[in-house]
Amino acid sequence: MFDLIIEGGTVIDGTGAPRLRADVAIAQGRVAAIGALSALAARERFDARGRIVAPGFIDVHTHDDRLLLDTPVGAHSKLSQGVTTVVTGNCGVSLAPLQAATSPPAPLDLLGTDAWRFARFGDYLDELEASGPAVNAACLVGHSTLRVRHMDRLDREATSHEAQRMAGDLADALAAGAIGMSTGLYYPPARAASMQEVVAVGAPLTGAGGVITMHIRDESDAIDEALREALLIGRTLGVDTVLSHHKLVGKANHGRSVQTLAMIEQAAEGQPVCFDCYPYNASSTMLLPGRVAQSDDVRVTWSKADASAAGQSLFALARERGVTPEQLAQDLQPAGAIYFAMSEADVSRILAHPMAMVGSDGLAHDVSPHPRLWGTFPRVLGHYVRERRLFSLETAVHKMTGLSARRFGLRGRGVLAPGHHADVVVFDAQRVADRATFAHPTEVSAGIDAVFVNGRLACRDGRSLDVHAGRVLRHGRAD
């Protein structure tokens, strides 16, 4: 007897193959059978008539390291949009291995200030596993976190001894189950790091088969040079390379995605490389005065110096206070912001590319976060598939499931097939839509009927029902 049969739905299996009418049976947390199963016995049945049944979505670019440790109350930003697995530790920032009594330097503080207690990466994974996360977690080690841990000054390249110690921490983390390393060469803590330093620190990735994800050094005027550096790092290490949140920033660079995508395609002929992106033409990170002039508008997401600025336009506030936006950005430090500096044509072109995976890059601890934290995946399905018809529903699901699982080595996930883990989302293709906006960024999406994590009903119509169904997905270990 099966534990559950999801019956009457239309299955899109995550491979990119055409949809088919089929029932999905689940037993002991795994998909047991797919086909005409309505006559078979099951302890429970779920009516999916008129709905799409797909693999649970995989958010390949998150900063959920600390969020995963918390027991959610109310709606969950990831479960409510159909996400069953997240990749954490992106942009060079991971919660471990680092012990800090005070707030670490930005952008590490985007993970908060009070959870920097893990001396070893394995300690973090163990606590996460013991707490039972809401979704599955595959975790990266942040290069910037390693720099903060081992260097007395961040405005210089690491010495060979420091790089060796960082590489030792990475090797320990990989042995404990980390899936790879991330970099954030754009940000102050790692801006002084050379390519040679990153290769030296990342050396353990080669033997372990880990992945490297890269927030490249520049996403505006110098993007070509930054891409070449990132691709060379991946090629030198001989590992799978993921270019994080690929985009072009600033009006002068609008349209250049034609060239950057061609560069990535050419590189892919000789090395394993792909990229993630989010379906919005605004980005979000720490508030940087140097980014202000590139943007049509800047919205403050949080500020320690002036909490009342959160959710407001930096430009409007600057006019009210009689200062320049750049000066106000400095006065609000430390702070975060949303930048309206991207072209919708570039966003669409990048998202539609066959190498593109979907990642939210949401910042869970911002006071007034970018709406991508709550709306990324339904936005792809509703706005870009149903309304814009940018690509098919099968292609969209593949970008959010099977492609992601393959690129990150998440075995038994991302595809609905017998024997695979029962991470499943049931949604209404005619109604699914993001509701989160820049003014109201935490609104729950519409059209996500049910989310099953490892066979357990975790979310129904946006309501969290089981917030401990997730697992830690440790690299190189059967799960």
Side-chain angles (χ1 to χ4, degrees):
M1 179 182 291
F2 300 121
D3 295 328
L4 170 69
I5 294 179
I6 302 172
E7 56 188 3
T10 298
V11 171
I12 296 180
D13 68 5
T15 65
R19 66 192 76 182
L20 73 156
R21 161 64 182 84
D23 307 317
V24 177
I26 295 172
Q28 298 181 329
R30 293 180 182 262
V31 176
I34 299 175
L37 309 174
S38 58
L40 301 180
R43 293 182 178 86
E44 295 183 57
R45 311 185 93 84
F46 186 94
D47 185 358
R49 286 175 295 179
R51 301 295 187 260
I52 300 295
V53 180
F57 305 138
I58 300 172
D59 190 343
V60 299
H61 191 109
T62 81
H63 298 282
D64 292 349
D65 308 45
R66 181 188 167 206
L67 179 68
L68 287 166
L69 293 170
D70 299 333
T71 298
V73 177
H76 189 275
S77 59
K78 297 303 168 68
L79 285 175
S80 65
Q81 56 180 308
V83 171
T84 58
T85 298
V86 298
V87 177
T88 70
N90 283 281
C91 298
V93 178
S94 61
L95 196 60
L98 180 64
Q99 291 178 310
T102 58
S103 179
L108 275 67
D109 59 356
L110 64 83
L111 298 181
T113 61
D114 58 353
W116 299 92
R117 61 180 183 272
F118 300 102
R120 298 171 59 252
F121 200 84
D123 294 340
Y124 168 71
L125 295 182
D126 289 346
E127 182 167 326
L128 183 57
E129 198 165 59
S131 67
V135 295
N136 304 310
C139 305
L140 298 159
V141 183
H143 169 239
S144 295
T145 296
L146 296 176
R147 290 190 111 235
V148 171
R149 174 176 165 90
H150 288 292
M151 297 179 65
D152 59 347
R153 285 174 39 211
L154 300 172
D155 60 348
R156 60 173 175 81
E157 182 180 0
T159 65
S160 59
H161 179 62
E162 289 166 338
Q164 185 177 22
R165 290 167 60 194
M166 287 189 268
D169 274 354
L170 175 59
D172 288 345
L174 292 167
I179 64 168
M181 182 178 81
S182 72
T183 70
L185 301 179
Y186 172 82
Y187 292 114
R191 200 168 288 159
S194 66
M195 187 196 83
Q196 291 75 21
E197 175 189 317
V198 177
V199 169
V201 174
L205 296 171
T206 305
V211 66
I212 187 167
T213 72
M214 304 198 70
H215 183 153
I216 61 177
R217 204 177 290 274
D218 190 90
E219 295 174 322
S220 55
D221 298 348
I223 191 169
D224 287 359
E225 181 181 349
L227 278 174
R228 282 192 288 270
E229 177 189 49
L231 292 166
L232 181 55
I233 288 171
R235 193 159 61 247
T236 302
L237 290 170
V239 299
D240 284 80
T241 303
V242 179
L243 303 169
S244 294
H245 42 57
H246 185 48
K247 60 181 176 288
L248 287 303
V249 173
K251 290 181 180 178
N253 299 298
H254 290 179
R256 290 182 64 192
S257 60
V258 174
Q259 288 76 38
T260 60
L261 291 172
M263 183 184 301
I264 298 168
E265 288 172 0
Q266 184 177 15
E269 295 176 3
Q271 67 182 104
V273 60
C274 61
F275 55 88
D276 65 69
C277 61
Y278 46 80
Y280 297 86
N281 61 5
S283 59
S284 182
T285 185
M286 56 193 291
L287 179 57
L288 298 163
R291 286 283 302 273
V292 172
Q294 296 176 317
S295 306
D296 294 327
D297 195 10
V298 177
R299 181 182 289 267
V300 180
T301 57
W302 63 275
S303 168
K304 284 290 181 67
D306 182 358
S308 70
Q312 299 194 56
S313 165
L314 181 78
F315 293 171
L317 278 177
R319 287 193 297 270
E320 289 176 12
R321 299 181 184 186
V323 298
T324 66
E326 288 82 1
Q327 181 58 55
L328 181 56
Q330 191 61 50
D331 295 343
L332 293 176
Q333 297 296 325
I338 295 168
Y339 302 90
F340 295 85
M342 297 155 62
S343 157
E344 177 57 39
D346 283 324
V347 172
S348 297
R349 187 179 297 115
I350 290 168
L351 182 62
H353 195 278
M355 289 189 209
M357 302 175 291
V358 177
S360 70
D361 196 17
L363 303 178
H365 307 291
D366 281 1
V367 176
S368 180
H370 191 301
R372 65 193 183 188
L373 178 67
W374 286 82
T376 287
F377 293 83
R379 181 170 176 79
V380 172
L381 299 171
H383 179 67
Y384 285 97
V385 173
R386 187 179 62 245
E387 297 174 7
R388 291 273 311 279
R389 300 185 179 182
L390 188 63
F391 37 70
S392 70
L393 190 57
E394 286 86 346
T395 295
V397 170
H398 178 57
K399 287 176 173 293
M400 303 192 296
T401 59
L403 177 62
S404 305
R406 177 168 61 84
R407 286 296 193 175
F408 281 89
L410 307 180
R411 293 179 296 182
R413 299 188 190 271
V415 172
L416 288 183
H420 281 214
H421 298 278
D423 297 333
V424 184
V425 58
V426 180
F427 65 91
D428 184 344
Q430 301 307 311
R431 199 170 60 87
V432 64
D434 59 310
R435 286 175 170 165
T437 65
F438 292 99
H440 302 285
T442 61
E443 294 295 314
V444 174
S445 296
I448 303 293
D449 290 4
V451 184
F452 298 86
V453 180
N454 295 304
R456 291 156 60 174
L457 181 57
C459 184
R460 183 75 191 267
D461 298 321
R463 293 178 294 107
S464 300
L465 301 177
D466 186 340
V467 293
H468 297 289
R471 298 177 184 171
V472 177
L473 308 183
R474 300 192 189 230
H475 176 64
R477 303 187 190 182
D479 178 42

